[in-house]
Amino acid sequence: MRRERGVPRAGWEKTIEGQGLAYHRAAHPQGLSRPYWDESVHYVFSMAEVESLEEQVEELHAMCLRAAAHVVETGRFADFAIPGWAAEEVARSWERRDAHLYARFDLRYDGTGPAKLLEYNADTPTSLLESSVIQWFWLQDTHPGDDQWNSIHERLIDRWRALPLPPGPTHFAWTNMDETGEEAMTLAYLQETAEQAGLRTVAVAMEDIGWDELNRRFVDMDEQMIRSIFKLYPWEWMLGEPFGRHAVRHSTWIEPLWKALLSNKALLAVLWELYPGHPNLLPAYLDGPRDLESYIAKPLLGREGASMRVVTPALTQETPGSYGQEGYVFQGFEALPEFDGQRPVLGAWVIADEAAGLGIRETTGLITDDTSSFVPHRIELT
């Protein structure tokens, strides 16, 4: 694994916008000089590295599924801040093995040892379009003789074909709270893959979904029944809203309700309990940092690196945010590796239950937040 510099393609902004990355200008907070999509640099991997990472990702995913089973079997829903009224429905969703689509591991990896799990974005992961389409076309334009860890697009289409969905169109829901357009474009891309798989689809805003009390069903703006629906809207938000009590019992949701366990950072502590000392895990606890000299406190339901606190013998660093009311997990802290002053985090994609691709975000800080930039990668074949 190494970081290389290159010359951006002429007119790269219009190129990526034409390929769907319309939100790249708005993806960063204002005032940053570095663009969100940065093709002036990229990472290079060997095929052996990627094959090893694929194996590690699939093992981690299997471990996470076993951790979900453990939570359901032992009834540890309170550790995950699951409301008491919803716990039985989460368990039923798991026991039914409600079908799932995709997820993203965030990993620490420096090319010299096993990858370390930082968190699992298993409910509403983004940076998908960048990982799937945008960096693939970058590779074809700049290094056509090389390869890329990237079968995301094909696997998504195959997975849509395999999902046991009820008859009728599948709805795709975004939220009007999306200010950058990232969620809307991610949703549009996923909707396109579903259509390529032969599904009929309908787009709808979460805020426009109605509840038909008489017929006990969700409906869209045209009063059409919603039988199956993909959402980029977290389950923890849904469970905190009035219609959440209907949502857990009606319609086929993608991602399914049991994904609320895998997208919760309490999962990190359960994994460490079940697999203490595993080479792909960092120590993690729910009741405090215990004997950890260096640790990071992560809110169970935090997003975009907000409301985190890094504590080491040399420093304490916090990020702003309003998360944390539901509690924290305390995870052993290992700083991300440094390449030319930048710290990459590897986003390893899982489609269904198989490793599918890689996206990389960089930042200069210890915590990867909304100021990070996405950079492409390639597998060197020559």
Side-chain angles (χ1 to χ4, degrees), residues 113-147:
K116 298 289 187 180
L117 173 61
L118 302 177
E119 60 184 69
Y120 200 13
N121 301 281
D123 185 20
T124 58
T126 53
S127 77
L128 179 68
L129 183 63
E130 302 92 300
S131 301
S132 176
V133 174
I134 308 303
Q135 69 170 343
W136 177 255
F137 283 117
W138 166 86
L139 179 75
Q140 302 310 305
D141 288 344
T142 61
H143 298 85
D146 283 344
D147 202 354

Side-chain angles (χ1 to χ4, degrees), residues 310-359:
V310 173
V311 178
T312 75
L315 63 85
T316 297
Q317 180 177 316
E318 298 186 49
T319 57
S322 57
Y323 298 103
Q325 298 91 337
E326 68 286 341
Y328 287 80
V329 67
F330 300 84
Q331 183 184 46
F333 177 73
E334 290 186 17
L336 292 170
E338 211 172 325
F339 292 78
D340 302 326
Q342 295 288 331
R343 299 180 184 274
V345 60
L346 271 59
W349 291 92
V350 175
I351 309 296
D353 299 307
E354 296 181 339
L358 174 67

